[in-house]
Every structure is written in C-alpha cells, then in structure tokens.
Amino acid sequence: MEATTVKNYGLEDALKALKIAPNNPGTSTGKNWMDSKETIDSFSPVDGKKIASVSATSPEQYEAVIQKAQEAFHIWRTMPAPKRGEIVRQFGDKLRENKEALGKLVSYEMGKSLQEGYGEVQEMIDICDFAVGLSRQLHGLTMHSERPGHRMYEQYHPLGVVGIISAFNFPVAVWSWNTALAWVCGDVCVWKPSEKTPLCGVACQNLIAEVLEANDLPEGISCLVNGDYKIGELLSHDERVPLVSATGSTRMGKKVGAAVGARLGKSLLELGGNNAIIMTENSDLNISVVGAVFGAVGTCGQRCTSTRRLIIHESIYDQVKNALVKAYGQLRIGNPLDENNHVGPLIDKDAVAQYEKALKAVKEEGGNVLVEGGVLEGENYASGCYVKPAIAEAKNDMNIVQTETFAPILYLMKYSDLDEAMAMQNGVRQGLSSAIMTTNMRQAEKFLSHEGSDCGIANVNIGTSGAEIGGAFGGEKETGGGRESGSDAWKIYMRRQTNTINYTTELPLAQGIKFDI
C-alpha cells in the first residue's frame, strides 16, 4: 500500500494493532496458525491495492481443525454457561479496545463507509453483551405429567461443532451474531469467512485467540478456515458439524441446505433479499425519502436488507420521484474512509459487471431510467469499483426487478390501493425485510397483520436496512427461514431434550396403558 493511502486514515496503525502483515497464515485453531502453499490475495476496492495474502486451507488442514474443535468441545461444554459468558464478555472488551482498528479494516477491505465499519464492530460488541446476559438464561420448560408421581421438563444441551460461512458485505458482524451465541450455548465454532474479505477473519481470530490464551482455554473453541466454495462444501458435508450457518446468495444457500439436509444436519440460512418500502399517501416525506435513499445506497447497495423497490402511492408519486432525483444529485461518491462521502465502492469488478448487466436489462425490459448509472473513472476511482447509484421506473413483474442485484439500483413503482401495494411487496421470491411509511395507524397495523408483509422483518416508518441485536434477524421464502442474533435465536445452537422423572415405587404408563407380567 502507498503511504498516502495508509497514513491519511491511520490504516497502518490499525493493521499493526490487528497483527495483519503482508503475508498472513489463514488457517487457525486459536493462536496456532497453519501455513500452506496456496494463498488468497486480498485487494481493497477502495484503491485497488493488495493489502495482504492469507494461506488457503487444504483438506488436510481442515481435518486437523475439525479434530481440534472436537477436542475443545469436550472441555468447553463442561464449563458452566455463565463462565462461558465471562469469556464472551472479555472478547467484547477486546473488541471495544480495537473498535477503531477493526472498523477501519472492515471499511478498507470491504469498501463500506468508515462509520458503517465502526457500526459493524459495535454490533459485535452488542451481541457479546446480549450473549453474556443470555448465558444465565438458557432456560427450559417444566410441564405437568399425566402420570402421578412424575415430573416432566425440557432442557437444552450444546450441539458440538458449529460451522459458520459468512459473506463479504458484513465481514465480521454476522460471524459474531452466530459465534457469541454458540459459545455461551457450549458450542465451538469453525468459521469460513468470505474469500473476498479474509483479513477481517484473521483479525477477529487474533483477538479471540488472545482471550482464550489468557484464560488457559483450548484453542479449538474458535477456529478459522480460509478458502473458496470448496472449503464451504467440506463444512456442509461433514457429519461432525451438526449445524452449518450460512449467509450469502440464495444459490449458495440452496447448495448448503441440500448438502446439510442430505445428512440430516441442521442449517441456518440467511440468504437473498429483494426488499421494498411502501410509501402511502399518509407518509411523512421528510423521513421517508431519507430512509429510502439510505436503504438504497448505504454500503453501495450491498446489504441483504438494502432497499431495492419503492412502491409509492399514485397521489405522491411525482413528488417523491422528484425528491429522490434531487437527493441522488447530492450524493458524494468516493473513498469510504473519508467520512464526508456517502457512497463507497462495490466489492470488486465482478460486482460492477453485474451492476452494468442489471442496468442494461432494465432498459431492455422497458424500464425508464431516471438517474443514470455508470462506472466512475479517474484518479480517485482507480480501483474501477466505484459506480453511480441509479433510479429506474419499473414494473414489479419484470425479470430484473424480481432478481436481487447487489448494487445501488432502486426501482420505483406506483400503486393506488394498499392491498395492491402489499401484493407487490410480497410478489417476489425473497422475504427478508420490508417497510411501510405511514402516519395512519390502520394502514400500519394491516401491514403488520397476517395479511400484510410476508417478510421476516416488517418495519413502520423506518427503512428496510439496519437491525438491532435484540430482535431475531432473518427472513422467509428464498431468504432461507433462518434467524440469527437476538430473541430466542439461541435455540438453534442447542439440542432440545425432554426429561421425565418417576419418583414413585410404581411404573404407570402413559395414556393409561396396562402391561402386567
């Protein structure tokens, strides 16, 4: 990296603090790093420069990692849950100490704005806090038995090794959503981060390894494997991994779900989104337009909860359209480490190609482009990954509208009746996030009712993107049906067991069955 890129934003110090060097080993059980001949290069979409290389995990190294994880599980599961929570608390403190450094790495390696990078690390801290409290609340149920002198209850036990496959757009937060909960539940974790953001995985592993070492705990509690889809396939097909949590495209999720299901394992899938905001005639336009713009262009449209479709009541359609065009004209696109900019780059040139393909398809299918897109050129956009956020008028049933494009393209469409709007909102294969903008209580409640949004997330007077740790995160249909983070999402990381205790000298059978010998 050139010194100007690093020193202007403190990146050099950030990388040093996280122990990121030009060549990093990429397979780990705690502090024990394994080197291999094959490497993965990490290039920043910010300036196109190579940050560092990591070693790719070989099948032999994968086997060694799983064995270490299994060994660690037998120790970790015997530790009382509140004690496991104490380890997670220490990890949260470690994240607090390194929030600026890790946030800058997230921003530089992935390309999201610096504030979003800091926000992602804050999500990690928040889920650690949540998990610490949860460690004293892994409750079961007690129920009455139909048999006299019997007690019946349910309890939860750790699963074992949890595999985590995460995507580039949230290179650290989604891992922490899974691993913080899995850890307090007594599981150990093997993480395959995206091959597009491997250094974020290395940084997180360095931090948790310090906590484990300080507490004299087995390294295999937290493991890291780096590689392409082949490493993900090893996790998906491995019967020693009872749960695989995978975040990414619907295409990838279908493969993971099929592989895990074939061996009767458990999968937690958080996949594609094609999220819409309904703007009613009763919308507060001051907040509605801001919510729509941020939802569409935040993280350069690379959030699974990004706003893809804006369904606008016909009475305010032109007003909203004009306001959006004006707002897009004020967007500042550039280096995401500069906090004055609103929009950073796409992750790589493959994403740029998909963006251009989508804009071409909009025109071919009869859409009307209101704000032209395009790839930005010049010294400030040398990576070739900077694009202009675009707006197009379109129909909900157009093929390109039905397809999730991970880029800042917003489709506008008009409606006249709320039932029509909700049918449009639900009329896609994905079901992650949704929102309605209205000051009318009846409209809001109808949207949230069983006849309203069919998504896992339904908001009123806030946009589709952004989620709090306290609520379960995930969606329906081709989004996969999984739930991560808060609420009772912890239950998927454990196995449920029903227990019945007979404290009498007789053996009555259920349903009054008689069996005399």
Side-chain angles (χ1 to χ4, degrees):
M1 292 177 292
E2 294 180 358
T4 52
T5 304
V6 174
K7 292 183 179 179
N8 281 351
Y9 301 102
L11 267 172
E12 197 168 63
D13 290 337
L15 295 175
K16 183 178 180 181
L18 298 168
K19 298 181 175 61
I20 300 296
N23 292 293
N24 289 274
T27 304
S28 173
T29 55
K31 66 174 183 176
N32 180 29
W33 290 96
M34 306 177 194
D35 201 0
S36 67
K37 295 179 180 179
E38 294 188 24
T39 60
I40 300 171
D41 295 331
S42 177
F43 291 89
S44 171
V46 174
D47 52 21
K49 299 182 185 302
K50 179 181 172 180
I51 312 172
S53 298
V54 301
S55 297
T57 302
S58 67
E60 295 76 19
Q61 289 174 333
Y62 171 84
E63 184 65 28
V65 166
I66 293 297
Q67 289 180 10
K68 281 288 186 181
Q70 286 182 304
E71 293 169 6
F73 172 62
H74 292 295
I75 297 172
W76 183 241
R77 68 180 179 181
T78 65
M79 181 180 289
K83 297 296 185 183
R84 297 193 296 257
E86 166 59 19
I87 302 305
V88 174
R89 185 196 66 78
Q90 292 180 30
F91 180 54
D93 285 346
K94 184 72 70 174
L95 291 170
R96 287 180 172 88
E97 295 169 11
N98 292 274
K99 179 177 177 178
E100 182 177 1
L102 185 54
K104 285 182 177 177
L105 175 60
V106 168
S107 179
Y108 189 58
E109 188 177 31
M110 186 268 149
K112 64 175 57 177
S113 74
L114 185 57
Q115 285 302 312
E116 289 182 273
Y118 291 151
E120 185 166 346
V121 181
Q122 186 60 50
E123 284 190 39
M124 301 177 76
I125 295 168
D126 292 344
I127 195 63
C128 285
D129 289 348
F130 181 93
V132 172
L134 177 65
S135 69
R136 295 181 181 270
Q137 300 179 69
L138 298 174
H139 53 77
L141 294 171
T142 299
M143 60 281 293
H144 291 282
S145 172
E146 66 184 46
R147 290 169 283 185
H150 284 61
R151 182 166 70 88
M152 188 163 61
Y153 68 96
E154 292 180 344
Q155 62 177 334
Y156 289 83
H157 297 296
L159 279 176
V161 180
V162 172
I164 301 168
I165 302 171
S166 63
F168 73 85
N169 58 333
F170 280 86
V172 295
V174 172
W175 167 71
S176 70
W177 290 0
N178 284 274
T179 202
L181 299 191
W183 281 336
V184 297
C185 288
D187 302 320
V188 298
C189 297
V190 177
W191 179 25
K192 192 204 93 64
S194 170
E195 60 270 32
K196 297 180 180 182
T197 52
L199 299 179
C200 286
V202 171
C204 290
Q205 186 67 2
N206 286 338
L207 295 177
I208 185 58
E210 292 178 7
V211 174
L212 295 175
E213 183 178 20
N215 288 272
D216 195 26
L217 286 168
E219 297 177 348
I221 292 169
S222 180
C223 302
L224 183 76
V225 291
N226 264 313
D228 57 16
Y229 70 93
K230 295 178 182 177
I231 297 299
E233 287 180 344
L234 290 177
L235 278 172
S236 300
H237 288 87
D238 196 333
E239 293 184 354
R240 297 166 297 179
V241 182
L243 169 65
V244 176
S245 174
T247 302
S249 68
T250 296
R251 181 178 62 84
M252 177 275 290
K254 287 181 177 179
K255 292 181 179 180
V256 171
V260 176
R263 58 179 174 86
L264 299 182
K266 297 169 68 176
S267 58
L268 193 171
L269 303 176
E270 199 281 284
L271 311 174
N274 196 345
N275 316 294
I277 297 176
I278 297 174
M279 293 182 63
T280 74
E281 69 277 22
N282 299 301
S283 298
D284 180 335
L285 295 185
N286 290 327
I287 65 172
S288 298
V289 172
V290 172
V293 173
F294 176 74
V297 308
T299 323
C300 201
Q302 296 172 111
R303 292 184 175 213
C304 48
T305 55
S306 290
T307 305
R308 310 287 178 201
R309 299 173 294 141
L310 199 56
I311 304 168
I312 310 166
H313 191 267
E314 59 187 7
S315 66
I316 59 170
Y317 184 83
D318 289 337
Q319 185 180 359
V320 171
K321 179 175 70 174
N322 293 335
L324 287 169
V325 171
K326 181 180 178 181
Y328 270 52
Q330 299 172 350
L331 293 175
R332 292 185 295 273
I333 307 168
N335 190 327
L337 295 172
D338 181 347
E339 296 184 55
N340 291 314
N341 290 326
H342 298 112
V343 183
L346 290 172
I347 185 65
D348 55 25
K349 290 183 179 178
D350 287 340
V352 173
Q354 290 301 313
Y355 159 85
E356 292 181 302
K357 182 180 178 181
L359 288 178
K360 181 180 178 182
V362 170
K363 295 177 181 179
E364 289 176 347
E365 292 187 47
N368 176 37
V369 178
L370 297 172
V371 176
E372 289 282 353
V375 182
L376 293 168
E377 299 178 349
E379 184 179 353
N380 293 331
Y381 312 112
S383 69
C385 297
Y386 291 88
V387 301
K388 299 176 185 177
I391 302 176
E393 294 178 297
K395 300 292 186 182
N396 200 55
D397 59 357
M398 289 168 53
N399 288 331
I400 190 59
V401 175
Q402 290 284 315
T403 303
E404 180 190 33
T405 302
F406 236 47
I409 304 174
L410 179 64
Y411 303 114
L412 308 188
M413 50 201 76
K414 189 184 299 185
Y415 82 92
S416 58
D417 174 78
L418 184 57
D419 287 335
E420 175 193 5
M422 292 190 299
M424 293 166 67
Q425 137 72 41
N426 295 337
V428 292
R429 294 184 297 275
Q430 309 85 354
L432 178 53
S433 187
S434 60
I436 189 170
M437 298 294 187
T438 181
T439 56
N440 183 299
M441 182 187 71
R442 291 176 176 173
Q443 290 179 327
E445 291 295 334
K446 187 170 185 178
F447 179 75
L448 300 176
S449 74
H450 63 275
E451 57 183 321
S453 170
D454 64 0
C455 294
I457 300 170
N459 297 328
V460 176
N461 291 329
I462 60 172
T464 60
S465 64
E468 295 186 34
I469 289 303
F473 182 89
E476 302 302 319
K477 300 188 292 189
E478 286 196 357
T479 302
R483 293 297 186 274
E484 299 169 317
S485 189
S487 185
D488 65 348
W490 61 270
K491 291 182 178 179
I492 197 169
Y493 304 98
M494 306 193 82
R495 58 182 176 87
R496 177 187 279 185
Q497 184 181 78
T498 299
N499 307 111
T500 306
I501 300 171
N502 177 5
Y503 54 90
T504 74
T505 58
E506 298 179 353
L507 187 62
L509 302 177
Q511 291 85 45
I513 295 173
K514 300 295 183 182
F515 185 76
D516 297 323
I517 56 175

PDB file of all heavy atoms in Angstrom, residues 263-287:
ATOM      1  N   ARG A 263     -27.612 -35.159   5.001  1.00  0.00           N
ATOM      2  CA  ARG A 263     -27.066 -35.921   6.133  1.00  0.00           C
ATOM      3  C   ARG A 263     -27.873 -35.683   7.408  1.00  0.00           C
ATOM      4  O   ARG A 263     -27.436 -36.017   8.501  1.00  0.00           O
ATOM      5  CB  ARG A 263     -25.599 -35.557   6.367  1.00  0.00           C
ATOM      6  CG  ARG A 263     -25.325 -34.076   6.644  1.00  0.00           C
ATOM      7  CD  ARG A 263     -23.830 -33.863   6.871  1.00  0.00           C
ATOM      8  NE  ARG A 263     -23.451 -32.467   7.011  1.00  0.00           N
ATOM      9  CZ  ARG A 263     -23.484 -31.780   8.154  1.00  0.00           C
ATOM     10  NH1 ARG A 263     -23.923 -32.364   9.253  1.00  0.00           N
ATOM     11  NH2 ARG A 263     -23.096 -30.514   8.192  1.00  0.00           N
ATOM     12  N   LEU A 264     -29.059 -35.072   7.228  1.00  0.00           N
ATOM     13  CA  LEU A 264     -29.982 -34.798   8.330  1.00  0.00           C
ATOM     14  C   LEU A 264     -29.364 -33.894   9.399  1.00  0.00           C
ATOM     15  O   LEU A 264     -29.661 -34.018  10.589  1.00  0.00           O
ATOM     16  CB  LEU A 264     -30.505 -36.098   8.945  1.00  0.00           C
ATOM     17  CG  LEU A 264     -31.295 -37.011   7.990  1.00  0.00           C
ATOM     18  CD1 LEU A 264     -31.793 -38.236   8.737  1.00  0.00           C
ATOM     19  CD2 LEU A 264     -32.443 -36.261   7.343  1.00  0.00           C
ATOM     20  N   GLY A 265     -28.501 -32.974   8.955  1.00  0.00           N
ATOM     21  CA  GLY A 265     -27.965 -31.961   9.855  1.00  0.00           C
ATOM     22  C   GLY A 265     -28.895 -30.770   9.918  1.00  0.00           C
ATOM     23  O   GLY A 265     -29.976 -30.747   9.310  1.00  0.00           O
ATOM     24  N   LYS A 266     -28.489 -29.752  10.670  1.00  0.00           N
ATOM     25  CA  LYS A 266     -29.275 -28.533  10.804  1.00  0.00           C
ATOM     26  C   LYS A 266     -28.580 -27.408  10.045  1.00  0.00           C
ATOM     27  O   LYS A 266     -27.350 -27.284  10.083  1.00  0.00           O
ATOM     28  CB  LYS A 266     -29.406 -28.149  12.284  1.00  0.00           C
ATOM     29  CG  LYS A 266     -30.145 -29.166  13.134  1.00  0.00           C
ATOM     30  CD  LYS A 266     -30.007 -28.861  14.615  1.00  0.00           C
ATOM     31  CE  LYS A 266     -30.730 -27.588  15.018  1.00  0.00           C
ATOM     32  NZ  LYS A 266     -30.664 -27.359  16.490  1.00  0.00           N
ATOM     33  N   SER A 267     -29.359 -26.575   9.365  1.00  0.00           N
ATOM     34  CA  SER A 267     -28.790 -25.421   8.679  1.00  0.00           C
ATOM     35  C   SER A 267     -29.538 -24.164   9.080  1.00  0.00           C
ATOM     36  O   SER A 267     -30.752 -24.192   9.310  1.00  0.00           O
ATOM     37  CB  SER A 267     -28.838 -25.602   7.156  1.00  0.00           C
ATOM     38  OG  SER A 267     -30.164 -25.801   6.704  1.00  0.00           O
ATOM     39  N   LEU A 268     -28.795 -23.097   9.200  1.00  0.00           N
ATOM     40  CA  LEU A 268     -29.349 -21.780   9.473  1.00  0.00           C
ATOM     41  C   LEU A 268     -28.986 -20.925   8.271  1.00  0.00           C
ATOM     42  O   LEU A 268     -27.809 -20.616   8.064  1.00  0.00           O
ATOM     43  CB  LEU A 268     -28.750 -21.208  10.764  1.00  0.00           C
ATOM     44  CG  LEU A 268     -29.391 -19.977  11.413  1.00  0.00           C
ATOM     45  CD1 LEU A 268     -28.783 -19.728  12.793  1.00  0.00           C
ATOM     46  CD2 LEU A 268     -29.236 -18.709  10.580  1.00  0.00           C
ATOM     47  N   LEU A 269     -29.976 -20.567   7.472  1.00  0.00           N
ATOM     48  CA  LEU A 269     -29.718 -19.881   6.208  1.00  0.00           C
ATOM     49  C   LEU A 269     -30.243 -18.452   6.238  1.00  0.00           C
ATOM     50  O   LEU A 269     -31.408 -18.219   6.554  1.00  0.00           O
ATOM     51  CB  LEU A 269     -30.372 -20.651   5.055  1.00  0.00           C
ATOM     52  CG  LEU A 269     -29.940 -22.112   4.900  1.00  0.00           C
ATOM     53  CD1 LEU A 269     -30.723 -22.785   3.790  1.00  0.00           C
ATOM     54  CD2 LEU A 269     -28.441 -22.206   4.635  1.00  0.00           C
ATOM     55  N   GLU A 270     -29.373 -17.511   5.927  1.00  0.00           N
ATOM     56  CA  GLU A 270     -29.767 -16.104   5.791  1.00  0.00           C
ATOM     57  C   GLU A 270     -29.293 -15.681   4.409  1.00  0.00           C
ATOM     58  O   GLU A 270     -28.113 -15.404   4.200  1.00  0.00           O
ATOM     59  CB  GLU A 270     -29.134 -15.265   6.912  1.00  0.00           C
ATOM     60  CG  GLU A 270     -29.827 -13.931   7.140  1.00  0.00           C
ATOM     61  CD  GLU A 270     -29.432 -12.888   6.112  1.00  0.00           C
ATOM     62  OE1 GLU A 270     -28.344 -12.347   6.211  1.00  0.00           O
ATOM     63  OE2 GLU A 270     -30.248 -12.641   5.188  1.00  0.00           O
ATOM     64  N   LEU A 271     -30.236 -15.639   3.463  1.00  0.00           N
ATOM     65  CA  LEU A 271     -29.878 -15.534   2.057  1.00  0.00           C
ATOM     66  C   LEU A 271     -30.367 -14.228   1.433  1.00  0.00           C
ATOM     67  O   LEU A 271     -30.318 -13.194   2.063  1.00  0.00           O
ATOM     68  CB  LEU A 271     -30.409 -16.772   1.322  1.00  0.00           C
ATOM     69  CG  LEU A 271     -30.050 -18.113   2.001  1.00  0.00           C
ATOM     70  CD1 LEU A 271     -30.728 -19.272   1.299  1.00  0.00           C
ATOM     71  CD2 LEU A 271     -28.554 -18.303   2.087  1.00  0.00           C
ATOM     72  N   GLY A 272     -30.846 -14.291   0.209  1.00  0.00           N
ATOM     73  CA  GLY A 272     -31.130 -13.087  -0.551  1.00  0.00           C
ATOM     74  C   GLY A 272     -32.295 -12.263  -0.039  1.00  0.00           C
ATOM     75  O   GLY A 272     -33.168 -12.734   0.679  1.00  0.00           O
ATOM     76  N   GLY A 273     -32.280 -10.990  -0.418  1.00  0.00           N
ATOM     77  CA  GLY A 273     -33.373 -10.072  -0.100  1.00  0.00           C
ATOM     78  C   GLY A 273     -33.739  -9.250  -1.315  1.00  0.00           C
ATOM     79  O   GLY A 273     -32.888  -8.927  -2.139  1.00  0.00           O
ATOM     80  N   ASN A 274     -35.010  -8.923  -1.441  1.00  0.00           N
ATOM     81  CA  ASN A 274     -35.475  -8.052  -2.527  1.00  0.00           C
ATOM     82  C   ASN A 274     -36.468  -7.091  -1.891  1.00  0.00           C
ATOM     83  O   ASN A 274     -37.669  -7.133  -2.145  1.00  0.00           O
ATOM     84  CB  ASN A 274     -36.130  -8.878  -3.637  1.00  0.00           C
ATOM     85  CG  ASN A 274     -36.270  -8.105  -4.921  1.00  0.00           C
ATOM     86  OD1 ASN A 274     -36.142  -6.887  -4.940  1.00  0.00           O
ATOM     87  ND2 ASN A 274     -36.564  -8.812  -6.007  1.00  0.00           N
ATOM     88  N   ASN A 275     -35.946  -6.239  -1.056  1.00  0.00           N
ATOM     89  CA  ASN A 275     -36.725  -5.523  -0.064  1.00  0.00           C
ATOM     90  C   ASN A 275     -37.420  -4.283  -0.618  1.00  0.00           C
ATOM     91  O   ASN A 275     -36.875  -3.578  -1.463  1.00  0.00           O
ATOM     92  CB  ASN A 275     -35.808  -5.133   1.089  1.00  0.00           C
ATOM     93  CG  ASN A 275     -34.895  -6.281   1.467  1.00  0.00           C
ATOM     94  OD1 ASN A 275     -35.343  -7.310   1.940  1.00  0.00           O
ATOM     95  ND2 ASN A 275     -33.597  -6.129   1.204  1.00  0.00           N
ATOM     96  N   ALA A 276     -38.608  -4.041  -0.107  1.00  0.00           N
ATOM     97  CA  ALA A 276     -39.418  -2.916  -0.599  1.00  0.00           C
ATOM     98  C   ALA A 276     -39.878  -2.031   0.549  1.00  0.00           C
ATOM     99  O   ALA A 276     -40.095  -2.487   1.670  1.00  0.00           O
ATOM    100  CB  ALA A 276     -40.630  -3.436  -1.363  1.00  0.00           C
ATOM    101  N   ILE A 277     -40.032  -0.756   0.230  1.00  0.00           N
ATOM    102  CA  ILE A 277     -40.701   0.202   1.107  1.00  0.00           C
ATOM    103  C   ILE A 277     -41.993   0.631   0.424  1.00  0.00           C
ATOM    104  O   ILE A 277     -41.979   1.011  -0.749  1.00  0.00           O
ATOM    105  CB  ILE A 277     -39.839   1.446   1.374  1.00  0.00           C
ATOM    106  CG1 ILE A 277     -38.550   1.081   2.116  1.00  0.00           C
ATOM    107  CG2 ILE A 277     -40.622   2.489   2.174  1.00  0.00           C
ATOM    108  CD1 ILE A 277     -37.609   2.269   2.321  1.00  0.00           C
ATOM    109  N   ILE A 278     -43.093   0.543   1.149  1.00  0.00           N
ATOM    110  CA  ILE A 278     -44.362   1.086   0.665  1.00  0.00           C
ATOM    111  C   ILE A 278     -44.493   2.502   1.217  1.00  0.00           C
ATOM    112  O   ILE A 278     -44.467   2.703   2.435  1.00  0.00           O
ATOM    113  CB  ILE A 278     -45.553   0.224   1.117  1.00  0.00           C
ATOM    114  CG1 ILE A 278     -45.458  -1.174   0.518  1.00  0.00           C
ATOM    115  CG2 ILE A 278     -46.881   0.892   0.738  1.00  0.00           C
ATOM    116  CD1 ILE A 278     -46.528  -2.136   1.028  1.00  0.00           C
ATOM    117  N   MET A 279     -44.638   3.475   0.349  1.00  0.00           N
ATOM    118  CA  MET A 279     -44.839   4.862   0.766  1.00  0.00           C
ATOM    119  C   MET A 279     -46.294   5.226   0.498  1.00  0.00           C
ATOM    120  O   MET A 279     -46.710   5.384  -0.656  1.00  0.00           O
ATOM    121  CB  MET A 279     -43.882   5.802   0.035  1.00  0.00           C
ATOM    122  CG  MET A 279     -42.429   5.586   0.434  1.00  0.00           C
ATOM    123  SD  MET A 279     -41.252   6.708  -0.362  1.00  0.00           S
ATOM    124  CE  MET A 279     -41.793   8.273   0.285  1.00  0.00           C
ATOM    125  N   THR A 280     -47.078   5.323   1.564  1.00  0.00           N
ATOM    126  CA  THR A 280     -48.505   5.607   1.412  1.00  0.00           C
ATOM    127  C   THR A 280     -48.750   7.098   1.245  1.00  0.00           C
ATOM    128  O   THR A 280     -47.851   7.926   1.408  1.00  0.00           O
ATOM    129  CB  THR A 280     -49.287   5.116   2.642  1.00  0.00           C
ATOM    130  OG1 THR A 280     -49.032   6.010   3.741  1.00  0.00           O
ATOM    131  CG2 THR A 280     -48.892   3.699   3.019  1.00  0.00           C
ATOM    132  N   GLU A 281     -50.017   7.421   0.938  1.00  0.00           N
ATOM    133  CA  GLU A 281     -50.407   8.830   0.827  1.00  0.00           C
ATOM    134  C   GLU A 281     -50.304   9.545   2.163  1.00  0.00           C
ATOM    135  O   GLU A 281     -50.333  10.791   2.212  1.00  0.00           O
ATOM    136  CB  GLU A 281     -51.836   8.937   0.263  1.00  0.00           C
ATOM    137  CG  GLU A 281     -52.942   8.446   1.195  1.00  0.00           C
ATOM    138  CD  GLU A 281     -53.166   6.948   1.174  1.00  0.00           C
ATOM    139  OE1 GLU A 281     -52.250   6.199   0.775  1.00  0.00           O
ATOM    140  OE2 GLU A 281     -54.280   6.517   1.567  1.00  0.00           O
ATOM    141  N   ASN A 282     -50.155   8.791   3.247  1.00  0.00           N
ATOM    142  CA  ASN A 282     -50.028   9.362   4.590  1.00  0.00           C
ATOM    143  C   ASN A 282     -48.590   9.372   5.088  1.00  0.00           C
ATOM    144  O   ASN A 282     -48.343   9.494   6.287  1.00  0.00           O
ATOM    145  CB  ASN A 282     -50.902   8.573   5.570  1.00  0.00           C
ATOM    146  CG  ASN A 282     -52.377   8.625   5.198  1.00  0.00           C
ATOM    147  OD1 ASN A 282     -52.972   9.692   5.113  1.00  0.00           O
ATOM    148  ND2 ASN A 282     -52.967   7.459   4.956  1.00  0.00           N
ATOM    149  N   SER A 283     -47.644   9.242   4.174  1.00  0.00           N
ATOM    150  CA  SER A 283     -46.237   9.212   4.568  1.00  0.00           C
ATOM    151  C   SER A 283     -45.771  10.580   5.055  1.00  0.00           C
ATOM    152  O   SER A 283     -46.216  11.625   4.572  1.00  0.00           O
ATOM    153  CB  SER A 283     -45.357   8.807   3.377  1.00  0.00           C
ATOM    154  OG  SER A 283     -45.665   7.517   2.923  1.00  0.00           O
ATOM    155  N   ASP A 284     -44.851  10.534   6.017  1.00  0.00           N
ATOM    156  CA  ASP A 284     -44.085  11.724   6.382  1.00  0.00           C
ATOM    157  C   ASP A 284     -42.896  11.751   5.435  1.00  0.00           C
ATOM    158  O   ASP A 284     -41.925  11.014   5.603  1.00  0.00           O
ATOM    159  CB  ASP A 284     -43.626  11.622   7.845  1.00  0.00           C
ATOM    160  CG  ASP A 284     -42.820  12.826   8.298  1.00  0.00           C
ATOM    161  OD1 ASP A 284     -42.210  13.498   7.439  1.00  0.00           O
ATOM    162  OD2 ASP A 284     -42.776  13.083   9.515  1.00  0.00           O
ATOM    163  N   LEU A 285     -42.956  12.602   4.427  1.00  0.00           N
ATOM    164  CA  LEU A 285     -41.954  12.561   3.363  1.00  0.00           C
ATOM    165  C   LEU A 285     -40.564  12.946   3.838  1.00  0.00           C
ATOM    166  O   LEU A 285     -39.562  12.535   3.250  1.00  0.00           O
ATOM    167  CB  LEU A 285     -42.382  13.459   2.201  1.00  0.00           C
ATOM    168  CG  LEU A 285     -43.662  13.008   1.460  1.00  0.00           C
ATOM    169  CD1 LEU A 285     -43.918  13.908   0.261  1.00  0.00           C
ATOM    170  CD2 LEU A 285     -43.552  11.555   1.027  1.00  0.00           C
ATOM    171  N   ASN A 286     -40.469  13.719   4.895  1.00  0.00           N
ATOM    172  CA  ASN A 286     -39.154  14.125   5.395  1.00  0.00           C
ATOM    173  C   ASN A 286     -38.330  12.918   5.829  1.00  0.00           C
ATOM    174  O   ASN A 286     -37.126  12.840   5.560  1.00  0.00           O
ATOM    175  CB  ASN A 286     -39.299  15.094   6.572  1.00  0.00           C
ATOM    176  CG  ASN A 286     -39.818  16.451   6.138  1.00  0.00           C
ATOM    177  OD1 ASN A 286     -39.516  16.914   5.033  1.00  0.00           O
ATOM    178  ND2 ASN A 286     -40.604  17.092   6.984  1.00  0.00           N
ATOM    179  N   ILE A 287     -38.972  11.970   6.523  1.00  0.00           N
ATOM    180  CA  ILE A 287     -38.230  10.792   6.941  1.00  0.00           C
ATOM    181  C   ILE A 287     -38.276   9.697   5.885  1.00  0.00           C
ATOM    182  O   ILE A 287     -37.354   8.883   5.782  1.00  0.00           O
ATOM    183  CB  ILE A 287     -38.735  10.264   8.301  1.00  0.00           C
ATOM    184  CG1 ILE A 287     -40.182   9.751   8.203  1.00  0.00           C
ATOM    185  CG2 ILE A 287     -38.613  11.300   9.385  1.00  0.00           C
ATOM    186  CD1 ILE A 287     -40.656   9.036   9.475  1.00  0.00           C
TER     187      ILE A 287
END
